[in-house]
Amino acid sequence: MARIQTANGPSDLRPQFAGRHAGSFFQIEAWMPSEIKAISPLVDRLMRLIEGSYCVCGEERCVELALAEALNNAVVHGNRLDRQKLVSNSLPL
């Protein structure tokens, strides 16, 4: 599994592939503080991994929008902008 830890923590951006299906499969786990300003940097890092995997060719912009919206909803509605809480994201691709 690739792990991304934000908030000045270390990151391991090497996806690990598992041959469960006919195509490649990997899962990205990421954590970020419940702050709006943390969304864009995390989405940028996730998109670099996703684009490099070629798993959503031609749909990258849609995935980027969905990620940003989901993280925003988690920060605003799920954690109510509580900076003491983390948003956890597990993205199977």
Side-chain angles (χ1 to χ4, degrees):
M1 254 178 252
R3 293 188 186 270
I4 297 175
Q5 183 178 354
T6 59
N8 301 325
S11 63
D12 179 359
L13 298 178
R14 293 168 290 166
Q16 295 178 355
F17 296 91
R20 287 184 168 178
H21 305 287
S24 294
F25 174 82
F26 72 96
Q27 182 168 337
I28 302 168
E29 290 184 2
W31 299 266
M32 62 173 239
S34 288
E35 298 176 338
I36 296 295
K37 67 182 183 181
I39 295 171
S40 184
L42 179 57
V43 169
D44 291 344
R45 294 175 78 185
L46 291 171
M47 288 310 300
R48 283 196 303 270
L49 281 172
I50 290 167
E51 289 166 354
S53 74
Y54 302 104
C55 62
V56 292
C57 291
E59 299 296 328
E60 291 86 356
R61 182 66 186 124
C62 294
V63 171
E64 183 176 6
L65 181 61
L67 278 172
E69 184 66 20
L71 292 170
N72 186 71
N73 286 342
V75 169
V76 174
H77 302 295
N79 288 349
R80 306 227 186 266
L81 297 168
D82 183 348
R83 293 175 24 198
Q84 300 300 316
K85 294 182 179 180
L86 293 177
V87 173
S88 175
N89 179 6
S90 182
L91 180 65
L93 298 170

